[in-house]
Amino acid sequence: MAMTITEKILANHSNKKEAKPGDNLWIDVDVLMTHDVCGPGTFGIFKKEFGPGAKVWDRDKVVIIPDHYIFTSDKHARRNIEILRDFVKEQDLPHYYDVDSPRYKGVCHVALPEEGFTRPGEVLFGTDSHTCTAGAFGEFATGIGNTDAAFVLGTGKLWVKVPATMKFVFEGTLPKYLMAKDLILTAIGAVGVDGATYRTMEFSGSTIDAMSMEDRMTLCNMVIEAGGKNGICVPDATTIDYVRARTQKEFECFYNDDDAQYYSVHRFNVRDIEPTVAKPHSPDNKARVSEVAGTKLDRAYIGSCTGGKISDFVAAAEILRGQHVAIDTFIVPATTDVERAINTITVDGKTIMQVFRDAGCRIGEPSCAACLGGPTDTFGRLNGVEVCISTTNRNFPGRMGSPKSQVYLASPYTVAASAVKGVITNPREFFE
Amino acid sequence: MLKHIISGKAFVLGNDIDTDQIIPAAHLVYKLDDPEERKNYGAFALSGVPAAQSGLPVGGIPFIGEGTWQSEYTIVIGGKNFGCGSSREHAPVALNIAGIEAVVAESYARIFYRNSVDGGFVAPFETSEHLYREIRTGDDLTLDTQACTLENTTQRKTYALRPLGDIEAILRAGGVFNYARETGMIETK
Ligand code: SF4
């Protein structure tokens, strides 16, 4: 039977010859990731169900990355980190990235690839809805709840209903003013916030083939905003080079059969796409930047798993160099590696970090920070009626803090250009 | 454990009810293994739903009475994309603590759906009918989980629900752990 990449990975991990949409399969898990918000609940269920002396199924396959509520004095948040530490010690887990240690990383979905845990052909589950980011590497990756995660911790297995695949084909050379964020906001706007529920969103075409891994991650990160179960990109030399540079572990690439069946196919020529935003209060509330240009802003925010990677800051710096921001602008590197990179990479003889400082931006510590609001002392949190333009992935009411605030989602180019002008601004102005 | 017959009053909501409306993020701090603290999840269940949308078609109906943590309603009726947003398991847990046994909606966000089934918290039934336009908050309902029908005894109407399919065995067992024990996947405690 002809199969898609996702179907092949799921068949392979359940020892079946084939897998078709709708099949329920028990699959073997290669990596389970959890963080400070869901880890404690997961460990509690694990102990309750498997007994107080239970051991995790495979120490080497559990990855724990605190990232959500880190630089805060909130006492519940601190208590969560203590629970992670105790569990790691008790289970003797090697892959833990402790706060206040040189191993500290930051946002889990960016840290996983950096540390070599995202590999083609594998199955990755995480207790976070944006675990789908790792589909960029040609693997099956999706978010689960605490009960499911506790089940995986004890057994290394989980049931999955095989999703049908929706194919999103992008053709053409990406114009200078567009980024992966514009493409995914366009795709979500086309199908709606539940347009891909239970399904796979697969990204292909010449535009995707030419993209870096970070840009493919931006696409797969936001499939959950269309309700998708997983996102996936076809692995190629770009994927293999990235992964090989970070892990010695063997992996197997899977590809679509020529006559594989798709639920639907959506084609875009990037020449027809304009810089795009999602207006408050939904990621599918799409508009061209030109339609909302001039909207008055109080704040700009560049960070998170989808918009706080190295290439996102390189893009922002292209616009911000030699400029000064007109509104409060917050820069939050996703991880410590990203932070190191922006302290090293230079434009016009200055580090990107210096460009941001000279432009008057405020720089935060690597973590999720205000992407999901967090405790009131969180860096960049919207505590009032602010209007913010942000490179993050969700703009539901109250997502970045106060329910009275408003959030526009956009690419790093658009956010940086808007920061300079203080109103929503088309980045094309900076390239023409 | 999924009952054969679930009966009680309907609480009706619209489309795109996200997990922040089901249980706002500020309330995720209570300990679930503390019998007193966990009641807070019931007390604040559905507290993020804007007042005008709470208890359709009239609206303005509180899901939980003042000073209580258990609801007088048993079945939640929703529209499309029920449970979207963050992956918090506290959402089906809060409904369960408040006394909800089943949700009937047109579609679910998949993480909410999985969490409901695998934790055995609430039974998520799907229907192709736009029930939230027909059923009124407070109507008496009888849900037959084997025949997959929903009877509105107040309005004397019966609707077909989609069969649960493969998840039925997990729901009947009371969640994924019980199911795995029953089928010998994991050892019984
Ligand atoms: S950066 Fe935002 S979206 Fe990403 S994991 Fe953190 S809170 Fe979630």
Side-chain angles (χ1 to χ4, degrees), chain A residues 97-161:
Chain A
Y97 298 89
D98 201 3
V99 184
D100 307 325
S101 86
R103 281 173 66 82
Y104 176 68
K105 297 288 301 182
V107 181
C108 57
H109 309 301
V110 180
L112 282 170
E114 287 172 354
E115 295 294 300
F117 292 113
T118 53
R119 295 170 290 245
E122 291 198 349
V123 167
L124 165 74
F125 284 113
T127 58
D128 190 282
S129 57
H130 291 102
T131 305
C132 52
T133 310
F137 295 85
E139 68 174 322
F140 179 83
T142 191
I144 54 175
N146 297 355
T147 298
D148 280 347
F151 191 90
V152 174
L153 265 188
T155 64
K157 289 182 186 301
L158 196 61
W159 69 273
V160 165
K161 190 188 276 291

Coordinates of all heavy atoms in Angstrom, one line a residue, chain A residues 97-161:
Chain A
Y97 N 18.3 19.5 32.0 CA 19.0 20.8 31.8 C 18.6 21.8 32.8 O 17.8 22.7 32.6 CB 18.7 21.3 30.3 CG 19.2 20.3 29.3 CD1 18.4 19.2 28.9 CD2 20.5 20.3 28.8 CE1 18.9 18.2 28.0 CE2 21.0 19.4 28.0 CZ 20.2 18.3 27.6 OH 20.7 17.4 26.7
D98 N 19.3 21.7 34.0 CA 18.8 22.3 35.2 C 19.0 23.9 35.1 O 20.0 24.4 34.5 CB 19.6 21.8 36.4 CG 18.9 22.1 37.7 OD1 17.8 22.6 37.7 OD2 19.5 21.7 38.8
V99 N 18.0 24.5 35.7 CA 18.1 26.0 35.9 C 19.3 26.3 36.8 O 19.7 25.4 37.6 CB 16.8 26.4 36.6 CG1 16.8 28.0 36.8 CG2 15.6 26.0 35.9
D100 N 19.9 27.5 36.7 CA 21.0 27.8 37.6 C 22.2 26.9 37.4 O 23.0 26.7 38.3 CB 20.7 27.8 39.1 CG 19.5 28.6 39.4 OD1 19.3 29.7 38.8 OD2 18.8 28.2 40.3
S101 N 22.3 26.2 36.2 CA 23.5 25.4 36.0 C 24.0 25.7 34.6 O 23.3 26.3 33.7 CB 23.2 23.9 36.1 OG 22.7 23.5 34.8
P102 N 25.3 25.4 34.3 CA 25.8 25.7 32.9 C 25.1 24.9 31.9 O 25.2 25.2 30.7 CB 27.3 25.2 33.0 CG 27.6 25.0 34.5 CD 26.3 24.8 35.2
R103 N 24.4 23.8 32.2 CA 23.6 23.0 31.3 C 22.3 23.7 30.9 O 21.7 23.2 29.9 CB 23.3 21.6 31.8 CG 24.5 20.7 31.8 CD 24.2 19.4 32.5 NE 23.1 18.6 31.9 CZ 23.2 17.8 30.9 NH1 24.4 17.7 30.3 NH2 22.2 17.1 30.4
Y104 N 21.9 24.7 31.6 CA 20.6 25.3 31.4 C 20.4 25.7 29.9 O 21.3 26.3 29.3 CB 20.3 26.5 32.2 CG 19.0 27.2 31.9 CD1 17.8 26.6 32.2 CD2 19.0 28.5 31.2 CE1 16.6 27.2 31.8 CE2 17.8 29.1 30.9 CZ 16.6 28.4 31.2 OH 15.4 29.0 30.8
K105 N 19.3 25.3 29.3 CA 19.1 25.6 27.8 C 18.1 26.7 27.6 O 18.3 27.7 26.9 CB 18.6 24.3 27.1 CG 19.5 23.2 27.1 CD 20.8 23.3 26.2 CE 20.4 23.6 24.8 NZ 21.6 23.7 24.0
G106 N 16.8 26.5 28.0 CA 15.7 27.4 27.7 C 14.6 26.6 27.0 O 14.4 25.5 27.3
V107 N 14.0 27.3 26.0 CA 12.7 26.7 25.4 C 12.9 25.3 24.8 O 13.8 25.1 23.9 CB 12.1 27.7 24.4 CG1 10.9 27.1 23.8 CG2 11.9 29.0 25.0
C108 N 12.2 24.4 25.3 CA 12.3 23.0 25.0 C 12.3 22.6 23.5 O 13.1 21.9 23.1 CB 11.3 22.1 25.7 SG 9.6 22.6 25.4
H109 N 11.4 23.3 22.7 CA 11.3 22.9 21.3 C 12.5 23.3 20.5 O 12.7 22.8 19.4 CB 10.0 23.4 20.7 CG 8.8 23.1 21.6 ND1 8.5 21.8 21.9 CD2 8.0 23.9 22.3 CE1 7.4 21.8 22.7 NE2 7.1 23.0 22.9
V110 N 13.3 24.3 21.0 CA 14.5 24.7 20.3 C 15.7 24.0 20.9 O 16.6 23.6 20.1 CB 14.7 26.3 20.4 CG1 15.9 26.7 19.7 CG2 13.4 27.0 19.8
A111 N 15.6 23.7 22.2 CA 16.7 22.9 22.8 C 16.8 21.5 22.3 O 17.9 20.9 22.1 CB 16.5 22.9 24.3
L112 N 15.7 20.8 22.0 CA 15.7 19.4 21.6 C 16.5 19.2 20.4 O 17.4 18.4 20.4 CB 14.2 18.9 21.4 CG 13.4 18.6 22.6 CD1 11.9 18.3 22.2 CD2 13.9 17.3 23.3
P113 N 16.3 20.0 19.3 CA 17.2 19.9 18.1 C 18.6 20.2 18.4 O 19.5 19.5 18.0 CB 16.6 20.8 17.1 CG 15.3 21.3 17.6 CD 15.2 21.0 19.0
E114 N 18.8 21.3 19.1 CA 20.2 21.7 19.4 C 21.0 20.6 20.1 O 22.2 20.4 19.9 CB 20.2 22.9 20.4 CG 19.8 24.2 19.7 CD 19.6 25.4 20.7 OE1 19.7 25.1 21.9 OE2 19.4 26.5 20.3
E115 N 20.3 19.8 20.9 CA 21.0 18.7 21.7 C 20.9 17.4 20.9 O 21.3 16.4 21.5 CB 20.4 18.6 23.1 CG 20.6 19.8 23.9 CD 22.1 20.0 24.3 OE1 22.7 19.1 24.9 OE2 22.7 21.1 23.9
G116 N 20.4 17.4 19.7 CA 20.4 16.2 18.9 C 19.3 15.2 19.2 O 19.4 14.0 18.9
F117 N 18.2 15.6 19.8 CA 17.1 14.7 20.2 C 16.1 14.6 19.1 O 15.1 13.9 19.3 CB 16.5 15.1 21.5 CG 17.4 14.9 22.7 CD1 17.9 16.0 23.4 CD2 17.8 13.6 23.1 CE1 18.7 15.8 24.5 CE2 18.6 13.4 24.2 CZ 19.1 14.5 24.9
T118 N 16.2 15.4 18.0 CA 15.2 15.3 17.0 C 15.8 14.7 15.8 O 16.8 15.2 15.2 CB 14.7 16.8 16.6 OG1 15.9 17.6 16.3 CG2 13.9 17.4 17.7
R119 N 15.3 13.5 15.4 CA 16.0 12.7 14.4 C 14.9 12.1 13.4 O 13.9 11.7 13.8 CB 16.7 11.5 15.0 CG 17.9 12.0 15.9 CD 18.5 10.9 16.8 NE 17.6 10.5 17.8 CZ 17.9 10.6 19.1 NH1 19.0 11.2 19.5 NH2 17.0 10.1 20.0
P120 N 15.3 12.1 12.1 CA 14.3 11.7 11.1 C 13.8 10.2 11.5 O 14.6 9.4 12.0 CB 15.1 11.6 9.8 CG 16.2 12.7 10.0 CD 16.5 12.6 11.5
G121 N 12.6 10.0 11.2 CA 12.0 8.6 11.3 C 11.6 8.2 12.7 O 11.0 7.2 12.9
E122 N 11.9 9.1 13.7 CA 11.6 8.7 15.1 C 10.2 9.2 15.5 O 9.5 9.9 14.8 CB 12.6 9.3 16.0 CG 14.0 8.6 15.8 CD 14.9 8.9 17.0 OE1 14.6 9.7 17.9 OE2 16.0 8.2 17.0
V123 N 9.8 8.7 16.7 CA 8.6 9.2 17.4 C 8.9 10.0 18.6 O 9.6 9.4 19.5 CB 7.7 8.0 17.7 CG1 6.5 8.5 18.6 CG2 7.1 7.4 16.4
L124 N 8.5 11.2 18.7 CA 8.8 12.1 19.9 C 7.4 12.5 20.4 O 6.6 13.1 19.7 CB 9.6 13.3 19.4 CG 9.7 14.5 20.4 CD1 10.6 14.2 21.6 CD2 10.2 15.7 19.7
F125 N 7.2 12.3 21.7 CA 6.1 12.9 22.4 C 6.6 13.9 23.4 O 7.6 13.7 24.0 CB 5.2 11.8 23.1 CG 4.4 11.0 22.2 CD1 4.7 9.6 22.1 CD2 3.3 11.5 21.5 CE1 3.9 8.8 21.2 CE2 2.6 10.7 20.7 CZ 2.8 9.4 20.5
G126 N 5.8 14.9 23.7 CA 6.1 15.9 24.7 C 4.9 16.4 25.4 O 3.8 16.4 24.7
T127 N 5.0 16.8 26.6 CA 3.9 17.3 27.3 C 3.6 18.8 27.0 O 3.5 19.6 27.9 CB 4.1 17.2 28.9 OG1 5.2 17.9 29.2 CG2 4.2 15.8 29.3
D128 N 3.6 19.1 25.8 CA 3.5 20.5 25.4 C 2.9 20.5 24.0 O 3.4 19.8 23.1 CB 4.8 21.2 25.4 CG 4.7 22.7 25.3 OD1 4.5 23.2 24.1 OD2 4.7 23.4 26.3
S129 N 2.0 21.4 23.7 CA 1.3 21.3 22.4 C 2.2 21.7 21.3 O 1.9 21.2 20.1 CB 0.0 22.2 22.4 OG 0.4 23.5 22.7
H130 N 3.3 22.4 21.5 CA 4.2 22.8 20.4 C 5.3 21.7 20.1 O 6.2 22.0 19.3 CB 4.7 24.2 20.5 CG 3.7 25.2 20.4 ND1 3.1 25.9 21.4 CD2 3.0 25.7 19.3 CE1 2.1 26.7 21.0 NE2 2.1 26.6 19.7
T131 N 5.1 20.6 20.7 CA 6.1 19.5 20.4 C 6.1 19.1 18.9 O 7.0 18.6 18.4 CB 5.7 18.2 21.2 OG1 5.6 18.6 22.6 CG2 6.7 17.1 21.0
C132 N 5.0 19.5 18.2 CA 4.9 19.3 16.8 C 6.0 20.0 16.0 O 6.3 19.7 14.8 CB 3.5 19.8 16.2 SG 3.1 21.5 16.8
T133 N 6.7 21.0 16.6 CA 7.9 21.7 16.0 C 8.9 20.7 15.4 O 9.4 20.9 14.3 CB 8.6 22.5 17.0 OG1 7.7 23.3 17.8 CG2 9.7 23.4 16.4
A134 N 9.1 19.5 16.1 CA 10.2 18.6 15.6 C 9.8 17.9 14.4 O 10.7 17.2 13.8 CB 10.5 17.6 16.8
G135 N 8.6 18.0 13.9 CA 8.2 17.4 12.6 C 9.1 17.9 11.5 O 9.2 17.3 10.4
A136 N 9.7 19.1 11.7 CA 10.6 19.7 10.7 C 11.7 18.7 10.3 O 12.2 18.8 9.2 CB 11.1 21.0 11.2
F137 N 12.0 17.8 11.2 CA 13.1 16.9 11.0 C 12.7 15.6 10.3 O 13.5 14.6 10.3 CB 13.9 16.6 12.3 CG 14.5 17.9 12.8 CD1 13.8 18.8 13.6 CD2 15.8 18.2 12.5 CE1 14.4 20.0 14.0 CE2 16.4 19.4 12.9 CZ 15.7 20.3 13.7
G138 N 11.5 15.5 9.9 CA 11.0 14.3 9.2 C 10.7 13.2 10.2 O 10.9 12.0 9.9
E139 N 10.2 13.6 11.4 CA 9.8 12.6 12.4 C 8.4 12.9 12.8 O 7.8 13.9 12.5 CB 10.7 12.6 13.6 CG 10.7 13.8 14.5 CD 11.5 13.7 15.7 OE1 11.6 12.6 16.3 OE2 12.1 14.7 16.1
F140 N 7.8 11.9 13.5 CA 6.4 12.1 14.1 C 6.5 12.7 15.5 O 7.1 12.0 16.4 CB 5.7 10.7 14.1 CG 4.3 10.9 14.7 CD1 3.2 11.3 13.9 CD2 4.0 10.7 16.0 CE1 1.9 11.5 14.4 CE2 2.7 10.8 16.5 CZ 1.7 11.3 15.7
A141 N 6.0 13.9 15.7 CA 6.2 14.5 17.0 C 4.9 15.2 17.3 O 4.3 16.0 16.5 CB 7.3 15.5 16.9
T142 N 4.4 15.0 18.5 CA 3.1 15.7 18.9 C 3.0 15.8 20.4 O 3.8 15.2 21.2 CB 1.9 14.9 18.3 OG1 0.7 15.7 18.5 CG2 1.7 13.6 19.0
G143 N 2.1 16.7 20.8 CA 1.9 17.0 22.2 C 0.9 16.0 22.9 O -0.1 15.6 22.2
I144 N 1.1 15.7 24.2 CA 0.2 14.9 24.9 C 0.0 15.4 26.3 O 0.7 16.3 26.8 CB 0.7 13.4 25.0 CG1 2.2 13.4 25.6 CG2 0.7 12.7 23.7 CD1 2.7 12.0 25.9
G145 N -1.0 14.9 27.0 CA -1.3 15.3 28.4 C -0.5 14.6 29.4 O 0.3 13.6 29.1
N146 N -0.7 14.9 30.7 CA 0.1 14.3 31.8 C -0.2 12.8 31.9 O 0.8 12.0 32.2 CB -0.2 14.9 33.1 CG 0.2 16.4 33.1 OD1 0.8 16.9 32.1 ND2 -0.1 17.1 34.2
T147 N -1.4 12.3 31.8 CA -1.7 10.9 31.9 C -1.0 10.1 30.8 O -0.4 9.1 31.1 CB -3.3 10.7 31.8 OG1 -3.9 11.4 32.9 CG2 -3.6 9.2 31.9
D148 N -1.1 10.6 29.6 CA -0.4 9.9 28.5 C 1.1 9.8 28.7 O 1.7 8.8 28.5 CB -0.7 10.6 27.2 CG -2.1 10.2 26.6 OD1 -2.7 9.2 27.1 OD2 -2.6 10.9 25.7
A149 N 1.6 11.0 29.2 CA 3.1 11.0 29.4 C 3.5 10.1 30.5 O 4.5 9.4 30.4 CB 3.5 12.5 29.7
A150 N 2.7 10.0 31.5 CA 3.0 9.0 32.6 C 2.9 7.6 32.1 O 3.7 6.7 32.5 CB 2.0 9.2 33.8
F151 N 2.0 7.3 31.2 CA 1.9 6.0 30.6 C 3.2 5.7 29.8 O 3.7 4.6 29.9 CB 0.6 5.9 29.7 CG 0.3 4.5 29.3 CD1 -0.5 3.7 30.0 CD2 0.8 4.0 28.1 CE1 -0.9 2.4 29.6 CE2 0.5 2.7 27.7 CZ -0.3 1.9 28.5
V152 N 3.6 6.6 29.0 CA 4.8 6.5 28.2 C 6.0 6.2 29.2 O 6.9 5.4 28.9 CB 5.1 7.7 27.3 CG1 6.4 7.5 26.6 CG2 4.0 7.8 26.3
L153 N 6.1 7.0 30.2 CA 7.2 6.9 31.2 C 7.4 5.5 31.7 O 8.5 5.0 31.9 CB 7.0 7.8 32.4 CG 7.7 9.2 32.4 CD1 7.5 9.8 33.8 CD2 9.1 9.2 32.0
G154 N 6.2 4.8 31.9 CA 6.2 3.5 32.5 C 6.4 2.4 31.5 O 6.9 1.3 31.7
T155 N 5.9 2.6 30.2 CA 5.8 1.5 29.3 C 6.6 1.8 28.0 O 6.9 0.8 27.2 CB 4.3 1.3 28.8 OG1 3.9 2.5 28.1 CG2 3.4 1.1 30.0
G156 N 6.9 3.0 27.6 CA 7.5 3.3 26.4 C 6.6 3.2 25.2 O 7.0 3.2 24.0
K157 N 5.3 3.1 25.5 CA 4.3 2.9 24.4 C 3.2 3.9 24.5 O 2.9 4.4 25.6 CB 3.7 1.5 24.4 CG 4.7 0.4 24.0 CD 4.0 -0.9 24.0 CE 4.9 -2.0 23.7 NZ 5.6 -2.0 22.4
L158 N 2.4 4.1 23.4 CA 1.2 4.9 23.5 C 0.4 4.6 22.3 O 0.9 4.3 21.2 CB 1.5 6.4 23.5 CG 0.4 7.3 24.0 CD1 -0.1 7.0 25.4 CD2 0.8 8.8 23.9
W159 N -1.0 4.7 22.4 CA -1.8 4.5 21.2 C -1.9 5.8 20.5 O -2.0 6.9 21.0 CB -3.2 3.9 21.6 CG -4.1 4.9 22.4 CD1 -4.1 5.1 23.7 CD2 -5.1 5.8 21.8 NE1 -5.1 6.0 24.0 CE2 -5.7 6.5 22.9 CE3 -5.5 6.1 20.5 CZ2 -6.7 7.4 22.7 CZ3 -6.5 7.0 20.3 CH2 -7.1 7.7 21.4
V160 N -2.0 5.6 19.2 CA -2.2 6.8 18.3 C -3.1 6.4 17.2 O -3.1 5.3 16.6 CB -0.8 7.1 17.6 CG1 -1.0 8.1 16.4 CG2 0.1 7.8 18.6
K161 N -4.0 7.3 16.9 CA -4.9 7.1 15.7 C -4.1 7.8 14.5 O -3.7 8.9 14.6 CB -6.2 7.8 15.9 CG -7.2 7.5 14.8 CD -8.5 8.3 14.9 CE -9.5 7.7 15.9 NZ -10.2 6.5 15.5

